[in-house]
Amino acid sequence: MRNPTQVAIYARVSSEQPAEAQTIASQVAALRERVAAEGLVVPAAMQFLDDGYSGATLMRPALERLRDVIAAGAVDRVYVHSPDRLARKYAYQVVLVEEFRRAGVEVIFLNRALGQSPEDDLLLQVQGMIAEYERAKIIERHRRGKRHAARTGAVNVLSGAPYGYRYVAKSAGGGQARYEILPDEARVVRQVFDWVGRDRLTIGEVCRRLTQAGERTRTDKTVWDRSAVWGMLKNPAYTGTAAFGKTRQEPLRPRLRVQRGRPLQPRRAVSTVDVPREDWFPIPVPALVEPAVFAAVQEQLRENQRHARQSRRGALYLLQGLLQCHQCGYAFYGKRLSPSARKGNPRAYAYYRCLGTDAYRFGGERVCQNTPVRTDLVERAVWQEVCTLLAHPERLAEEYRRRLQPEARATGTPLTAVEEQIGKLRQGVARLIDSYADGLIDKGEFEPRILRLRQRMARLEEQRQQLAEEATRHTELQLIIGRLEDFAAKVRDGLEEADWASKRDLIRTLVKRVEVARDQVNIVFRIDPYPGDNDPEKKS
């Protein structure tokens, strides 16, 4: 039997506090108990769970699906354990509750009724602000506590150990955390420092020797990556002094594109940045290499940087960070021609190469067979497309209408006409119910007629939803085109004289990614209808 009220539940546990008392299982049990107590049943498809996602952002997979379902009109009531499970920030709580209310959805918090009186709404606001304050206070206390422990030389603030050591927690170390040296890994560490500090080898040669020797990484791989060796050589812990506070977290910075294998919506909306060395907190640990050897390695690394072929730092290629392989999803990177490939002739171009075609990154076997592309050809093609879009912004509207043309033909009825039909059907349903209540028609005649009316109403409701979404898309499209026309008018005159840096900035502003296949290149543009709004959900 179908529920008279369609219900959904939402639960969340933050990844920032794994020991949090409110686990997903306990929240779901309490929510299902409340739903059952009201005589309702929640289907499995209507359970939206964000396990390990921070409440400080609205970009959460289950929350996104819940909002889509509510916008489609498939939910009448949503149950949440408490306001801080919906969002940590008070402003986000208000945004979500108002959005659900506009869609005709009733929001039920287990710990407090909502909307029954002005006092209830005031209490919700106060609870939201207190939850945000408590979270900030806990984070600040945690940060200051770890800084104080780091000043006293406590190893437990590190919470892990680099290659060559094993971290022994306080529970296993008699109340004091410590580093223990792993002999096999320590031998590899000393060998790497000797190769670079005494034999003056490059990091690439060190990786090749470790791979050929079959040495195992911390993740039990036999293929060593340059970044792993570089991080080992820069870690001061091997001289007997580990460092706490080498990085800090900031609000999530804009990204050109999502990395391969990473979710579109990150679990934690933060970015990790480096901290100056003078702000680190030293912590004594067992030493693996001599300070003189470590100093020689640092000098050699600086010397390698000075003599690197890539003498110019920063961006070297126009489409750097935007190219993505259409076959395997890995990024493309710029690679200059070797002297043997140039055959003694100077070349003004390089190649963009897929990471998946580098066999050394994947244990000696390529994972992608895509071919490299010349930098000058693909850069010229992308720049021409950007200029064409700025010269003719109406192309965006034409392409949009072309893709929606089949849908427009299928839903040619105006929205007002559909709403009028729905209103008439509702009146018919009301009259039919009144007739049945007054005994004018019997049950055998009432049930099939009411069923047909409700089926027609369901079809019209779906059609109305499609028409409303189309109208919303059309409005946003007009806004996007208007913004693009204004932007194009400002930069159009300088396109022909634009230098390399200006071209790169303009491409990164308008292009979301460039997908490279074997026989074609697809350009996905990034158009921002709300340039002054920091909400990532309003970006197109």
Side-chain angles (χ1 to χ4, degrees):
M1 180 178 178
R2 183 179 181 272
N3 288 337
T5 302
Q6 297 299 308
V7 301
I9 63 174
Y10 177 78
R12 180 190 64 82
V13 168
S14 173
S15 60
E16 299 175 357
Q17 299 177 17
E20 200 170 359
Q22 292 295 341
T23 63
I24 283 287
S26 62
Q27 290 183 49
V28 172
L31 292 170
R32 293 180 66 88
E33 182 179 354
R34 173 65 178 272
V35 172
E38 297 184 0
L40 302 174
V41 177
V42 55
M46 289 298 179
Q47 299 183 25
F48 301 91
L49 312 178
D50 276 321
D51 192 358
Y53 281 86
S54 172
T57 175
L58 294 180
M59 299 177 64
R60 288 170 258 154
L63 180 61
E64 289 286 286
R65 295 196 303 271
L66 174 62
R67 297 173 73 179
D68 292 340
V69 171
I70 289 177
V75 176
D76 300 317
R77 187 182 300 170
V78 59
Y79 291 82
V80 188
H81 189 273
S82 57
D84 65 333
R85 297 300 92 197
L86 190 61
R88 281 288 188 182
K89 293 186 177 180
Y90 163 67
Y92 287 166
Q93 294 177 12
V94 175
V95 168
L96 292 175
V97 171
E98 289 298 325
E99 177 183 320
F100 295 167
R101 281 176 166 176
R102 286 196 302 269
V105 177
E106 182 183 5
V107 182
I108 303 296
F109 294 113
L110 299 192
N111 63 342
R112 183 66 184 178
L114 176 64
Q116 296 182 0
S117 66
E119 290 78 10
D120 291 334
D121 291 340
L122 178 61
L123 181 59
L124 172 64
Q125 298 171 10
V126 172
Q127 285 179 337
M129 290 185 287
I130 291 177
E132 188 172 350
Y133 163 73
E134 287 292 338
R135 178 176 180 272
K137 184 172 67 173
I138 291 173
I139 292 176
E140 178 62 17
R141 285 178 176 176
H142 184 68
R143 184 188 67 85
R144 291 183 60 83
K146 296 192 72 171
R147 285 168 61 93
H148 175 73
R151 288 193 181 98
T152 62
V155 178
N156 59 289
V157 299
L158 299 174
S159 303
Y163 187 85
Y165 299 100
R166 182 173 72 91
Y167 178 77
V168 180
K170 292 175 61 176
S171 58
Q176 182 66 40
R178 66 179 184 274
Y179 277 3
E180 282 188 356
I181 297 177
L182 299 177
D184 291 339
E185 294 185 0
R187 172 183 54 82
V188 175
V189 171
R190 296 187 181 100
Q191 182 65 75
V192 169
F193 274 88
D194 286 341
W195 279 340
V196 178
R198 292 193 171 97
D199 299 340
R200 305 296 181 181
L201 298 183
T202 63
I203 294 180
E205 179 61 27
V206 170
C207 292
R208 283 189 287 270
R209 291 192 178 187
L210 292 175
T211 302
Q212 292 173 359
E215 301 291 354
R216 298 280 179 174
T217 66
R218 176 57 62 85
T219 56
D220 202 34
K221 297 180 180 178
T222 57
V223 179
W224 288 74
D225 190 78
R226 287 175 170 85
S227 61
V229 175
W230 185 87
M232 180 188 301
L233 296 173
K234 300 292 291 185
N235 196 334
Y238 297 117
T239 62
T241 305
F244 171 77
K246 293 189 291 186
T247 60
R248 69 170 181 268
Q249 292 180 343
E250 295 181 349
L252 184 65
R253 296 181 176 180
R255 298 178 298 176
L256 285 180
R257 57 176 177 78
V258 180
Q259 294 181 354
R260 182 182 184 272
R262 299 289 182 89
L264 178 63
Q265 301 163 343
R267 288 184 177 272
R268 303 178 66 188
V270 295
S271 296
T272 302
V273 298
D274 294 331
V275 172
R277 180 179 291 269
E278 56 269 17
D279 295 334
W280 295 358
F281 294 92
I283 299 175
V285 295
L288 294 183
V289 299
E290 296 294 332
V293 176
F294 187 84
V297 167
Q298 307 312 306
E299 178 62 30
Q300 183 61 33
L301 293 179
R302 290 190 291 269
E303 188 71 17
N304 291 347
Q305 289 180 347
R306 286 194 294 267
H307 290 83
R309 289 183 298 170
Q310 184 176 328
S311 57
R312 191 174 106 190
R313 312 309 301 174
L316 297 178
Y317 303 98
L318 195 64
L319 304 179
Q320 184 171 328
L322 293 174
L323 291 173
Q324 179 178 337
C325 182
H326 184 72
Q327 296 183 14
C328 67
Y330 277 108
F332 272 67
Y333 67 95
K335 185 176 180 62
R336 295 180 178 178
L337 291 173
S338 63
S340 59
R342 294 197 304 265
K343 298 180 180 179
N345 299 322
R347 301 290 175 88
Y349 60 86
Y351 279 91
Y352 287 115
R353 179 183 176 91
C354 176
L355 285 171
T357 61
D358 292 338
Y360 74 89
R361 300 178 188 269
F362 306 96
E365 185 176 352
R366 303 172 67 176
V367 298
C368 182
Q369 302 300 323
N370 206 348
T371 57
V373 293
R374 280 177 47 169
T375 55
D376 56 341
L377 299 181
V378 68
E379 289 172 357
R380 187 184 308 123
V382 172
W383 176 245
Q384 289 176 354
E385 286 296 318
V386 170
C387 294
T388 303
L389 178 65
L390 293 175
H392 304 283
E394 66 275 4
R395 288 181 57 198
L396 186 65
E398 294 173 359
E399 176 65 16
Y400 178 81
R401 296 190 183 97
R402 183 186 67 81
R403 296 188 181 190
L404 291 184
Q405 189 173 3
E407 181 180 349
R409 287 197 299 265
T411 59
T413 308
L415 179 60
T416 55
V418 174
E419 291 178 344
E420 291 178 359
Q421 295 179 27
I422 293 176
K424 292 179 180 179
L425 285 177
R426 287 176 177 171
Q427 294 177 2
V429 170
R431 287 195 297 267
L432 187 62
I433 293 175
D434 291 340
S435 300
Y436 177 70
D438 295 338
L440 300 178
I441 58 175
D442 57 11
K443 184 177 181 181
E445 185 180 1
F446 170 76
E447 289 183 347
R449 292 176 63 181
I450 195 69
L451 178 61
R452 288 194 298 269
L453 287 176
R454 286 178 174 174
Q455 289 175 348
R456 289 183 57 190
M457 285 186 60
R459 289 193 296 267
L460 288 175
E461 289 284 355
E462 183 178 357
Q463 185 177 359
R464 182 179 66 173
Q465 180 67 25
Q466 294 176 355
L467 291 173
E469 291 177 355
E470 183 179 349
T472 302
R473 289 194 296 264
H474 180 75
T475 302
E476 185 168 305
L477 174 66
Q478 296 301 322
L479 180 61
I480 290 175
I481 294 175
R483 298 287 188 184
L484 186 60
E485 289 175 347
D486 295 341
F487 181 74
K490 295 178 182 179
V491 302
R492 188 177 297 151
D493 296 336
L495 291 179
E496 296 182 359
E497 294 81 14
D499 55 8
W500 186 90
S502 300
K503 288 182 179 180
R504 183 172 181 270
D505 292 340
L506 193 57
I507 289 175
R508 290 165 68 93
T509 301
L510 295 178
V511 176
K512 184 176 183 179
R513 67 178 180 274
V514 180
E515 299 176 350
V516 181
R518 279 185 172 271
D519 54 352
Q520 65 180 358
V521 174
N522 300 322
I523 304 174
V524 180
F525 286 98
R526 180 205 315 269
I527 307 299
D528 184 2
Y530 304 93
D533 199 321
N534 295 325
D535 188 354
E537 300 177 7
K538 294 184 178 180
K539 312 303 180 183
S540 300

